[in-house]
Amino acid sequence: MSAAGHGGSPDPAPLDDAGRAELRRRRVMSMPRWYSPWLHLASTVGLGCGLAALSLTRLRGLQAWELAAIPLFFVFCNAVEWRAHRGLLHRRRRFLEAFYDRHTPVHHRVFVENDMAIRTPRELGFVLIPSYGIAGVFALTLPLALALGAAGQSNLASLFVATCMAYMVLYECLHLSYHLPPDSRIGRSRVVARLRRHHSAHHRPSLMRQWNFNVTFPLWDLVRGTYHRGGAADAATRDGRSGSALERLER
């Protein structure tokens, strides 16, 4: 793979089936004995839902125009998801290398476009975000929430935090659903199947640094021109165009 991470170092090369099997075996074996995938899932979803519910308890005299801000907050979250995925998970940033190292060398090498499903429950550790990630996002929402509160918009502040936390739960659940067996009850869902196709294309090594960065809904991929349509045949011709287009957008 020619794409480079921070400092010009190349991304880890894709693995063949045997190499991926060995990587996932070694990674599972390296997990602590006490690791519980179900507790991991419960901690992220539970913390996100709890913080969202706590924020909603602070609402007072809610008005319709305030509720109308929720879609705007959702779009904001979708844009931040796109930015974080593209800028942190696929590019090594100084002092933030852990985000890249957890995602690209492991998640993207274990799961590839035509083999996305986990083999055992412990492999949820390759898919789920750490529970402290939810707490970190909550902390990042606080400055804007406090600014809204200081401006006399306490309801908007609460709705903003609740929307961000609910979005994180949605991200976690949808991402997990893409990595469940496609013939499972959840995997057979038409909505999940459609979104899984979008995400699995991102797991093609030739596409992962330029296309399909939204994991939830590909709204910001459409806005930024990074929504990949079509199969592998047209990927090579489009990759070059996407690189130059994105560079122009980033200037």
Side-chain angles (χ1 to χ4, degrees):
M1 188 182 301
S2 60
H6 175 72
S9 58
D11 287 335
L15 299 172
D16 58 17
D17 290 347
R20 288 193 301 112
E22 176 61 17
L23 174 63
R24 70 200 312 159
R25 185 194 67 80
R26 286 190 287 105
R27 296 296 298 193
V28 167
M29 291 294 292
S30 69
M31 289 179 174
R33 278 188 167 185
W34 49 260
Y35 175 76
S36 167
W38 312 121
L39 183 59
H40 187 170
L41 179 60
S43 66
T44 56
V45 172
L47 182 58
C49 288
L51 290 171
L54 181 63
S55 299
L56 293 177
T57 64
R58 301 180 61 84
L59 294 173
R60 299 290 185 273
L62 187 63
Q63 300 181 47
W65 74 267
E66 293 170 329
L67 287 173
I70 293 177
L72 297 179
F73 295 152
F74 184 92
V75 172
F76 172 80
C77 291
N78 193 262
V80 171
E81 174 199 342
W82 184 96
R83 166 64 61 183
H85 193 168
R86 179 176 182 268
L88 293 180
L89 302 186
H90 286 283
R91 285 167 173 77
R92 299 188 87 239
R93 306 289 186 183
R94 186 166 297 174
F95 307 120
L96 299 172
E97 293 92 343
F99 292 98
Y100 173 90
D101 293 340
R102 178 184 176 89
H103 186 75
T104 300
V106 178
H107 183 72
H108 268 272
R109 297 177 91 199
V110 169
F111 303 111
V112 295
E113 183 177 18
N114 296 316
D115 186 9
M116 294 281 287
I118 60 173
R119 301 282 198 272
T120 68
R122 289 180 72 81
E123 289 186 8
L124 265 64
F126 306 155
V127 176
L128 302 176
I129 61 177
S131 56
Y132 61 76
I134 300 287
V137 172
F138 174 73
L140 291 174
T141 68
L142 290 181
L144 183 51
L146 291 173
L148 288 170
Q153 301 297 331
S154 58
N155 279 348
L156 287 183
S158 296
L159 289 174
F160 174 68
V161 174
T163 301
C164 290
M165 292 299 96
Y167 192 96
M168 291 301 298
V169 172
L170 180 66
Y171 174 99
E172 188 80 319
C173 293
L174 283 176
H175 190 211
L176 173 57
S177 73
Y178 309 152
H179 290 281
L180 294 177
D183 58 351
S184 64
R185 178 177 298 183
I186 294 175
R188 290 196 303 268
S189 163
R190 294 180 65 181
V191 172
V192 168
R194 184 179 182 90
L195 292 172
R196 183 173 59 239
R197 285 194 294 272
H198 176 264
H199 185 60
S200 62
H202 173 72
H203 275 260
R204 191 184 310 166
S206 63
L207 303 182
M208 69 177 184
R209 284 176 58 89
Q210 295 177 325
W211 301 97
N212 294 11
F213 295 109
N214 280 130
V215 175
T216 52
F217 303 104
L219 172 62
W220 215 246
D221 275 320
L222 289 167
V223 171
R224 297 303 300 269
T226 56
Y227 185 100
H228 181 268
R229 300 179 180 85
D234 62 357
T237 59
R238 297 177 50 173
D239 280 352
R241 292 204 305 270
S242 78
S244 58
L246 282 171
E247 288 169 6
R248 289 194 297 271
L249 286 168
E250 294 302 317
R251 289 172 185 165

